[in-house]
Amino acid sequence: GQYWMDNLFCNGAENNLTDCRHDGWGKHDCQTDESAGVVCKTHFSSTTTPAPDPDVAAKDEPAMNLTRLDHAISGKIKVRLLGGRNTEEGRVEILVPGSDTWGLMCGDGWSLFEATVVCRQLGMGYAQSAMSTGYFGGNSSNIILSGLKCTGNEKNIDQCLHNTIGDVFCPGPASNPNIAELTCVEKMADLVPDVFELARSTHLEDKQLFFLGCAMEENCLASSADLAK
């Protein structure tokens, strides 16, 4: 269908989308799979029931099919990294209690939150990156866990939610399978940059030097700014 608004920018206080900035009515470069969507009320929202247990509902998103791993299995899941250039990176492999075969994790929904829990469980600090590729090897037919969801504060992945364990459907091209991978580092900044928000909100703006006195004093401007004083 027709796209009427593109590159919409709001500060959150507007009462209507028409109060936000955009490229102009009907002006866009959107593809057919770039339609914007929103969930205004989740299945957790209720005026008669108490707030959900944070151990059960790790994120305020549809999770009706998700359960904690330690509720679905008996025993502790073992985790290891293989295929990396060093011991702190690689594809994530897990060993389920009662099995002697290591399996892989599906990369769907894989993020720094889940990767951080894996790094913590391995005693390797924090997650620097979380990838969903076949860069570190592995075969998609060996994937046995999908839909892992963590808040990032868990001590091990047993405390995280999951979708399916065992016979798992994990879509992805054969040339680059959708496998959960990560890189751990000993020290990491205590924040998670939102790359999508950065890309959405970054813009260029011309300012007179009169308004940039502080930036000038802190040497935040280009060296050519000295010539314009």
mmCIF file of all heavy atoms in Angstrom, residues 127-154:
data_model
loop_
_atom_site.group_PDB
_atom_site.id
_atom_site.type_symbol
_atom_site.label_atom_id
_atom_site.label_comp_id
_atom_site.label_asym_id
_atom_site.label_seq_id
_atom_site.Cartn_x
_atom_site.Cartn_y
_atom_site.Cartn_z
ATOM 1 N N ALA A 127 29.501 -9.316 27.736
ATOM 2 C CA ALA A 127 29.370 -9.520 26.291
ATOM 3 C C ALA A 127 29.697 -8.233 25.551
ATOM 4 O O ALA A 127 29.102 -7.191 25.807
ATOM 5 C CB ALA A 127 27.958 -9.980 25.949
ATOM 6 N N GLN A 128 30.653 -8.305 24.656
ATOM 7 C CA GLN A 128 30.991 -7.153 23.816
ATOM 8 C C GLN A 128 30.161 -7.131 22.546
ATOM 9 O O GLN A 128 29.819 -6.073 22.032
ATOM 10 C CB GLN A 128 32.479 -7.187 23.467
ATOM 11 C CG GLN A 128 32.954 -5.982 22.666
ATOM 12 C CD GLN A 128 34.421 -6.075 22.329
ATOM 13 O OE1 GLN A 128 34.875 -7.085 21.791
ATOM 14 N NE2 GLN A 128 35.183 -5.043 22.648
ATOM 15 N N SER A 129 29.811 -8.311 22.044
ATOM 16 C CA SER A 129 28.993 -8.393 20.835
ATOM 17 C C SER A 129 28.202 -9.684 20.846
ATOM 18 O O SER A 129 28.613 -10.683 21.443
ATOM 19 C CB SER A 129 29.867 -8.324 19.574
ATOM 20 O OG SER A 129 30.820 -9.372 19.574
ATOM 21 N N ALA A 130 27.047 -9.644 20.190
ATOM 22 C CA ALA A 130 26.183 -10.815 20.063
ATOM 23 C C ALA A 130 25.797 -10.945 18.595
ATOM 24 O O ALA A 130 25.121 -10.069 18.047
ATOM 25 C CB ALA A 130 24.939 -10.665 20.942
ATOM 26 N N MET A 131 26.244 -12.016 17.962
ATOM 27 C CA MET A 131 26.015 -12.205 16.534
ATOM 28 C C MET A 131 25.076 -13.373 16.281
ATOM 29 O O MET A 131 24.970 -14.283 17.099
ATOM 30 C CB MET A 131 27.349 -12.461 15.805
ATOM 31 C CG MET A 131 28.350 -11.322 15.937
ATOM 32 S SD MET A 131 29.304 -11.410 17.461
ATOM 33 C CE MET A 131 30.394 -12.771 17.127
ATOM 34 N N SER A 132 24.392 -13.335 15.147
ATOM 35 C CA SER A 132 23.506 -14.427 14.724
ATOM 36 C C SER A 132 23.918 -14.850 13.321
ATOM 37 O O SER A 132 23.239 -14.550 12.337
ATOM 38 C CB SER A 132 22.043 -13.974 14.752
ATOM 39 O OG SER A 132 21.663 -13.565 16.039
ATOM 40 N N THR A 133 25.053 -15.522 13.225
ATOM 41 C CA THR A 133 25.615 -15.916 11.931
ATOM 42 C C THR A 133 26.249 -17.294 12.062
ATOM 43 O O THR A 133 26.168 -17.933 13.101
ATOM 44 C CB THR A 133 26.699 -14.912 11.471
ATOM 45 O OG1 THR A 133 27.848 -15.029 12.336
ATOM 46 C CG2 THR A 133 26.193 -13.483 11.517
ATOM 47 N N GLY A 134 26.896 -17.719 10.990
ATOM 48 C CA GLY A 134 27.664 -18.947 11.020
ATOM 49 C C GLY A 134 29.149 -18.676 10.939
ATOM 50 O O GLY A 134 29.920 -19.556 10.527
ATOM 51 N N TYR A 135 29.558 -17.481 11.353
ATOM 52 C CA TYR A 135 30.963 -17.068 11.216
ATOM 53 C C TYR A 135 31.898 -18.000 11.973
ATOM 54 O O TYR A 135 32.996 -18.320 11.520
ATOM 55 C CB TYR A 135 31.126 -15.636 11.728
ATOM 56 C CG TYR A 135 32.541 -15.106 11.656
ATOM 57 C CD1 TYR A 135 33.074 -14.641 10.455
ATOM 58 C CD2 TYR A 135 33.348 -15.076 12.786
ATOM 59 C CE1 TYR A 135 34.364 -14.166 10.378
ATOM 60 C CE2 TYR A 135 34.646 -14.597 12.730
ATOM 61 C CZ TYR A 135 35.154 -14.139 11.523
ATOM 62 O OH TYR A 135 36.441 -13.673 11.463
ATOM 63 N N PHE A 136 31.483 -18.453 13.157
ATOM 64 C CA PHE A 136 32.325 -19.315 13.978
ATOM 65 C C PHE A 136 32.031 -20.796 13.771
ATOM 66 O O PHE A 136 32.374 -21.624 14.618
ATOM 67 C CB PHE A 136 32.164 -18.954 15.458
ATOM 68 C CG PHE A 136 32.699 -17.597 15.809
ATOM 69 C CD1 PHE A 136 31.871 -16.642 16.385
ATOM 70 C CD2 PHE A 136 34.016 -17.272 15.568
ATOM 71 C CE1 PHE A 136 32.359 -15.390 16.714
ATOM 72 C CE2 PHE A 136 34.526 -16.016 15.892
ATOM 73 C CZ PHE A 136 33.694 -15.077 16.470
ATOM 74 N N GLY A 137 31.380 -21.126 12.664
ATOM 75 C CA GLY A 137 31.134 -22.513 12.337
ATOM 76 C C GLY A 137 29.852 -23.050 12.948
ATOM 77 O O GLY A 137 29.071 -22.330 13.576
ATOM 78 N N GLY A 138 29.636 -24.338 12.767
ATOM 79 C CA GLY A 138 28.427 -24.971 13.279
ATOM 80 C C GLY A 138 27.424 -25.250 12.174
ATOM 81 O O GLY A 138 27.416 -24.579 11.141
ATOM 82 N N ASN A 139 26.597 -26.241 12.399
ATOM 83 C CA ASN A 139 25.588 -26.644 11.428
ATOM 84 C C ASN A 139 24.204 -26.373 11.997
ATOM 85 O O ASN A 139 23.919 -26.718 13.148
ATOM 86 C CB ASN A 139 25.754 -28.134 11.096
ATOM 87 C CG ASN A 139 24.952 -28.547 9.879
ATOM 88 O OD1 ASN A 139 23.770 -28.254 9.782
ATOM 89 N ND2 ASN A 139 25.614 -29.235 8.952
ATOM 90 N N SER A 140 23.347 -25.768 11.222
ATOM 91 C CA SER A 140 22.008 -25.413 11.699
ATOM 92 C C SER A 140 21.202 -26.632 12.125
ATOM 93 O O SER A 140 20.265 -26.524 12.920
ATOM 94 C CB SER A 140 21.244 -24.635 10.620
ATOM 95 O OG SER A 140 21.153 -25.395 9.424
ATOM 96 N N SER A 141 21.558 -27.811 11.620
ATOM 97 C CA SER A 141 20.834 -29.024 12.001
ATOM 98 C C SER A 141 21.122 -29.423 13.445
ATOM 99 O O SER A 141 20.413 -30.261 14.011
ATOM 100 C CB SER A 141 21.222 -30.184 11.076
ATOM 101 O OG SER A 141 22.608 -30.479 11.182
ATOM 102 N N ASN A 142 22.148 -28.820 14.054
ATOM 103 C CA ASN A 142 22.505 -29.133 15.443
ATOM 104 C C ASN A 142 21.900 -28.149 16.445
ATOM 105 O O ASN A 142 22.244 -28.190 17.626
ATOM 106 C CB ASN A 142 24.027 -29.147 15.600
ATOM 107 C CG ASN A 142 24.678 -30.253 14.790
ATOM 108 O OD1 ASN A 142 24.112 -31.324 14.611
ATOM 109 N ND2 ASN A 142 25.877 -29.988 14.279
ATOM 110 N N ILE A 143 21.026 -27.250 15.991
ATOM 111 C CA ILE A 143 20.397 -26.276 16.885
ATOM 112 C C ILE A 143 19.317 -26.971 17.713
ATOM 113 O O ILE A 143 18.424 -27.614 17.174
ATOM 114 C CB ILE A 143 19.785 -25.110 16.088
ATOM 115 C CG1 ILE A 143 20.894 -24.322 15.390
ATOM 116 C CG2 ILE A 143 18.977 -24.192 16.996
ATOM 117 C CD1 ILE A 143 20.393 -23.193 14.500
ATOM 118 N N ILE A 144 19.409 -26.848 19.047
ATOM 119 C CA ILE A 144 18.461 -27.538 19.930
ATOM 120 C C ILE A 144 17.725 -26.581 20.868
ATOM 121 O O ILE A 144 16.884 -27.017 21.651
ATOM 122 C CB ILE A 144 19.179 -28.606 20.772
ATOM 123 C CG1 ILE A 144 20.235 -27.968 21.679
ATOM 124 C CG2 ILE A 144 19.802 -29.663 19.880
ATOM 125 C CD1 ILE A 144 20.850 -28.940 22.678
ATOM 126 N N LEU A 145 18.021 -25.274 20.799
ATOM 127 C CA LEU A 145 17.354 -24.315 21.684
ATOM 128 C C LEU A 145 17.041 -23.045 20.913
ATOM 129 O O LEU A 145 17.896 -22.530 20.180
ATOM 130 C CB LEU A 145 18.249 -23.975 22.885
ATOM 131 C CG LEU A 145 17.723 -22.921 23.863
ATOM 132 C CD1 LEU A 145 16.460 -23.422 24.563
ATOM 133 C CD2 LEU A 145 18.786 -22.559 24.902
ATOM 134 N N SER A 146 15.816 -22.533 21.063
ATOM 135 C CA SER A 146 15.435 -21.307 20.371
ATOM 136 C C SER A 146 14.652 -20.394 21.308
ATOM 137 O O SER A 146 14.109 -20.837 22.328
ATOM 138 C CB SER A 146 14.575 -21.622 19.137
ATOM 139 O OG SER A 146 13.303 -22.116 19.523
ATOM 140 N N GLY A 147 14.600 -19.121 20.938
ATOM 141 C CA GLY A 147 13.781 -18.156 21.664
ATOM 142 C C GLY A 147 14.280 -17.817 23.046
ATOM 143 O O GLY A 147 13.480 -17.472 23.914
ATOM 144 N N LEU A 148 15.599 -17.878 23.293
ATOM 145 C CA LEU A 148 16.115 -17.541 24.622
ATOM 146 C C LEU A 148 15.912 -16.048 24.888
ATOM 147 O O LEU A 148 16.247 -15.208 24.064
ATOM 148 C CB LEU A 148 17.601 -17.884 24.717
ATOM 149 C CG LEU A 148 18.210 -17.800 26.121
ATOM 150 C CD1 LEU A 148 17.682 -18.934 26.991
ATOM 151 C CD2 LEU A 148 19.736 -17.854 26.056
ATOM 152 N N LYS A 149 15.336 -15.715 26.051
ATOM 153 C CA LYS A 149 15.091 -14.329 26.429
ATOM 154 C C LYS A 149 15.569 -14.117 27.864
ATOM 155 O O LYS A 149 15.084 -14.774 28.786
ATOM 156 C CB LYS A 149 13.593 -13.992 26.339
ATOM 157 C CG LYS A 149 13.045 -13.970 24.924
ATOM 158 C CD LYS A 149 13.654 -12.855 24.111
ATOM 159 C CE LYS A 149 13.097 -12.835 22.696
ATOM 160 N NZ LYS A 149 13.748 -11.800 21.857
ATOM 161 N N CYS A 150 16.509 -13.193 28.034
ATOM 162 C CA CYS A 150 17.063 -12.889 29.356
ATOM 163 C C CYS A 150 16.947 -11.389 29.614
ATOM 164 O O CYS A 150 16.894 -10.585 28.677
ATOM 165 C CB CYS A 150 18.529 -13.291 29.447
ATOM 166 S SG CYS A 150 18.905 -15.001 28.966
ATOM 167 N N THR A 151 16.915 -11.016 30.879
ATOM 168 C CA THR A 151 16.947 -9.597 31.236
ATOM 169 C C THR A 151 18.374 -9.083 31.288
ATOM 170 O O THR A 151 18.610 -7.883 31.260
ATOM 171 C CB THR A 151 16.300 -9.362 32.609
ATOM 172 O OG1 THR A 151 17.080 -10.028 33.617
ATOM 173 C CG2 THR A 151 14.878 -9.893 32.633
ATOM 174 N N GLY A 152 19.347 -9.990 31.375
ATOM 175 C CA GLY A 152 20.751 -9.619 31.481
ATOM 176 C C GLY A 152 21.289 -9.716 32.894
ATOM 177 O O GLY A 152 22.495 -9.601 33.109
ATOM 178 N N ASN A 153 20.406 -9.920 33.880
ATOM 179 C CA ASN A 153 20.830 -9.995 35.285
ATOM 180 C C ASN A 153 20.924 -11.422 35.814
ATOM 181 O O ASN A 153 21.342 -11.627 36.952
ATOM 182 C CB ASN A 153 19.860 -9.200 36.168
ATOM 183 C CG ASN A 153 19.845 -7.728 35.809
ATOM 184 O OD1 ASN A 153 20.883 -7.141 35.532
ATOM 185 N ND2 ASN A 153 18.664 -7.131 35.790
ATOM 186 N N GLU A 154 20.521 -12.392 35.011
ATOM 187 C CA GLU A 154 20.546 -13.775 35.467
ATOM 188 C C GLU A 154 21.985 -14.280 35.647
ATOM 189 O O GLU A 154 22.913 -13.816 34.978
ATOM 190 C CB GLU A 154 19.812 -14.683 34.466
ATOM 191 C CG GLU A 154 18.334 -14.389 34.312
ATOM 192 C CD GLU A 154 18.034 -13.314 33.285
ATOM 193 O OE1 GLU A 154 19.015 -12.699 32.784
ATOM 194 O OE2 GLU A 154 16.860 -13.075 32.980
#
